[in-house]
Amino acid sequence: MTLTEQVRDERPPAARPEHPLGSEPAAAQRQFIPWVTLALMTTASVANLRPAPSMALYGLAAVFLYLLPAVVFLLPTALVSAELASGWTGGVYRWVSEGLSKPLGFLAVWCQFAMTIAYYPSLLAYVAGTFAYVVDPRLADNGLYVALVIVVVYWSGVLVSTRGTRAVAGLSSIGLVIGTLLPGIVLVVLGLVFLGQGNPSAAPMDGGHVLPPWTGVASLVLIVGNFLSYAGMEMNGVHVSSLRAPGKQFPRAMALATGLVLLIFILPALAVSWVMPGEDLSLTAGVMQAFQGFFDHFGVGWLTKVTGVLLVAAALGGMLTWLAGPSRGLLLVARQEGYLPPALQKLNRHGVPRNILVAQGALTTVIALLYAFLPDVSSAYWIFSVITTQLYLVVYLLMFAAVVRLRRLHPDRPRGFRVPAVRLVAGVGFASSLAAMCIGFVPPEQFGGQPLWRYLLIVGGGLLTIGFLAPLAFLAFRKPHWVAGARGSAQDARGARNTSSA
């Protein structure tokens, strides 16, 4: 299907007929997937090793700090997105625009795209810290080096993405297998062998450290990062209609996926805490610090460089996936409703929104340069991770509100899956997302030496400017000819007039 055909298919429901659930062609009804497959797909789209260092700071308490957002955020997100996806095609824009309003729908899809502007610098800072262990570990804390890596790697990713989705799919799938699953298993096994030899854990592992120490709100701020770690569950809700018995199988798939995601997040974080003292842990290079500590202990230090290459491959695969996804989703909505000027709607010969990627890259480059000026790379990494989380939480706040209103407005609409006690589930998700957003404005205690005004200015300014002022500006200055169909009609009319004159 071409991009033009996709745009046509995304017309509002009044403009195109929809097959009610159960009336699709027979061939489509026979295309089922096992619920275990859906669980594995969900796990692959969410779990990774990047958050391990930030939670390793808490040692055994990392278990609690992962379980809490899983219960109050991960599960509500999975359940709500399943109901929305099984009742309305078109993703978060369709859900929010029909449940709340079209401008809020644009805000949701914009924030889903805009979070990548802050996400890429934090992700690529992790890449820079990891790759430093392949070249020179001292570079991991060098802000100028980190900034250069972010700029070079991002624009290289744009070059790959502009060649179409086939190139992206191959690289991202390879990166997932060799750069996440394999290193994660190795890290945990090494940690268990390390402890089994009688070596003491760098972090206390006794019952007195199950809960994080309470020294005020700042002591729990790092939990906010886990909300971003779990982001993406809504993407797999679109597959709920591919299950034979969605009402029974989808909860099973989400239960299995949640368990696997928790294992992939918790066990590597604990393994890092076993070998790396919290005061020496880098948030960008902590995973590599742990691998180096384990490999040096077992006399195979040369494997550190090999592992670094694998982790970089996984991170780059994830970046390419995000480059190909949110920008395309924003483009489809922009062409349909005219939310972006024509210059940002142009496609290259591979059907990729190159101008959107270039504009995004300009902002990413500016943000990346801040790494060269902020005194601590770990502080910069945390700040941009928080901005990313704040922007994405806007999407979830709107999604939780939309599902409640859609249940009231369209109670009889066919849905493949219905959330039990939807008001309670959505209410818990909304409240936890709002709480996480508020806590994100409190700097963590690990960065207490930094000026508070600088932290608030960057986090608050980033959320306000990128998340709200930019989409409001597009809405305020929107022109009728920005709609793709209107431009096509105008061009046809001009062509007819020119033919007539001739």
Side-chain angles (χ1 to χ4, degrees):
M1 179 182 289
T2 65
L3 182 61
T4 304
E5 291 169 335
Q6 291 182 44
V7 172
R8 291 197 189 110
D9 194 53
E10 288 298 323
R11 288 174 297 178
R16 63 178 175 87
E18 284 193 15
H19 295 289
L21 211 65
S23 66
E24 296 91 337
Q29 292 182 345
R30 290 194 295 269
Q31 295 176 354
F32 297 115
I33 62 173
W35 65 269
V36 175
T37 300
L38 179 58
L40 295 177
M41 290 169 58
T42 303
T43 303
S45 66
V46 175
N48 61 81
L49 301 181
R50 193 164 66 96
S54 62
M55 288 301 107
L57 291 169
Y58 283 99
L60 188 59
V63 178
F64 169 81
L65 294 177
Y66 271 120
L67 287 176
L68 180 60
V71 172
V72 301
F73 178 75
L74 177 63
L75 286 178
T77 299
L79 296 174
V80 166
S81 61
E83 172 167 334
L84 292 170
S86 65
W88 290 266
T89 59
V92 68
Y93 171 76
R94 176 87 179 277
W95 305 341
V96 176
S97 63
E98 292 206 12
L100 301 177
S101 69
K102 282 192 173 183
L104 289 178
F106 174 62
L107 175 63
V109 76
W110 170 265
C111 285
Q112 198 174 48
F113 160 78
M115 56 81 67
T116 60
I117 296 173
Y119 172 73
Y120 294 135
S122 62
L123 171 66
L124 295 179
Y126 163 78
V127 170
T130 301
F131 190 70
Y133 279 76
V134 179
V135 183
D136 182 356
R138 292 173 297 181
L139 291 173
D141 293 320
N142 186 305
L144 181 59
Y145 158 78
V146 172
L148 289 175
V149 170
I150 293 173
V151 173
V152 172
V153 174
Y154 175 82
W155 287 106
S156 300
V158 169
L159 183 62
V160 172
S161 294
T162 55
R163 301 188 64 83
T165 56
R166 184 174 299 176
V168 172
L171 291 173
S172 61
S173 59
I174 293 173
L176 169 68
V177 175
I178 69 173
T180 297
L181 300 181
L182 181 60
I185 293 172
V186 170
L187 183 63
V188 174
V189 170
L190 289 175
L192 293 174
V193 173
F194 177 80
L195 294 181
Q197 291 179 339
N199 296 294
S201 170
M205 290 288 131
D206 56 86
H209 293 82
V210 172
L211 297 177
W214 179 255
T215 58
V217 177
S219 63
L220 285 178
V221 167
L222 284 177
I223 196 174
V224 174
N226 288 346
F227 281 75
L228 179 62
S229 300
Y230 292 137
M233 289 292 285
E234 78 282 358
M235 295 181 183
N236 289 287
V238 298
H239 300 295
V240 68
S241 59
S242 299
L243 298 173
R244 288 186 179 274
K248 295 181 179 179
Q249 292 182 332
F250 188 80
R252 293 178 193 170
M254 289 304 100
L256 177 58
T258 300
L260 292 175
V261 167
L262 287 173
L263 287 176
I264 293 174
F265 279 140
I266 291 174
L267 294 182
L270 291 178
V272 172
S273 71
W274 293 337
V275 72
M276 283 304 303
E279 60 272 15
D280 299 329
L281 193 62
S282 166
L283 295 189
T284 56
V287 173
M288 288 305 300
Q289 287 177 323
F291 273 114
Q292 184 175 52
F294 284 134
F295 288 146
D296 288 346
H297 174 79
F298 292 108
V300 287
W302 59 272
L303 284 175
T304 302
K305 297 183 184 297
V306 176
T307 304
V309 172
L310 296 179
L311 293 175
V312 167
L316 294 181
M319 185 197 77
L320 290 173
T321 301
W322 279 102
L323 272 174
S327 60
R328 194 175 184 86
L330 177 65
L331 176 72
L332 291 172
V333 173
R335 290 171 64 90
Q336 172 186 317
E337 301 291 344
Y339 288 129
L340 297 180
L344 292 178
Q345 298 183 29
K346 291 183 179 179
L347 307 173
N348 67 5
R349 61 190 181 91
H350 297 288
V352 176
R354 181 180 57 191
N355 289 358
I356 289 181
L357 292 178
V358 170
Q360 182 183 28
L363 292 174
T364 300
T365 301
V366 171
I367 294 175
L369 294 177
L370 293 176
Y371 276 91
F373 299 103
L374 289 174
D376 181 17
V377 170
S378 287
S379 297
Y381 173 84
W382 172 255
I383 287 172
F384 295 126
S385 295
V386 169
I387 294 175
T388 304
T389 305
Q390 303 284 58
L391 289 168
Y392 218 152
L393 285 173
V394 174
V395 179
Y396 290 112
L397 288 171
L398 294 170
M399 190 177 78
F400 288 128
V403 73
V404 174
R405 193 155 188 266
L406 283 171
R407 182 72 74 89
R408 180 168 59 85
L409 294 175
H410 305 286
D412 299 324
R413 185 183 179 93
R415 296 163 171 85
F417 174 79
R418 285 178 177 264
V419 180
V422 66
R423 289 181 179 272
L424 175 62
V425 173
V428 170
F430 187 94
S432 61
S433 300
L434 186 60
M437 180 175 284
C438 294
I439 293 174
F441 288 102
V442 181
E445 57 185 3
Q446 284 78 9
F447 307 121
Q450 301 296 324
L452 177 61
W453 66 266
R454 180 184 297 170
Y455 182 87
L456 294 177
L457 180 63
I458 296 177
V459 173
L463 175 62
L464 180 64
T465 303
I466 300 175
F468 292 99
L469 294 182
L472 284 176
F474 284 123
L475 289 173
F477 295 103
R478 181 168 52 154
K479 307 296 182 185
H481 69 274
W482 288 8
V483 178
R487 291 200 305 276
S489 299
Q491 291 170 358
D492 292 342
R494 286 196 298 269
R497 286 197 300 269
N498 292 337
T499 303
S500 165
S501 300

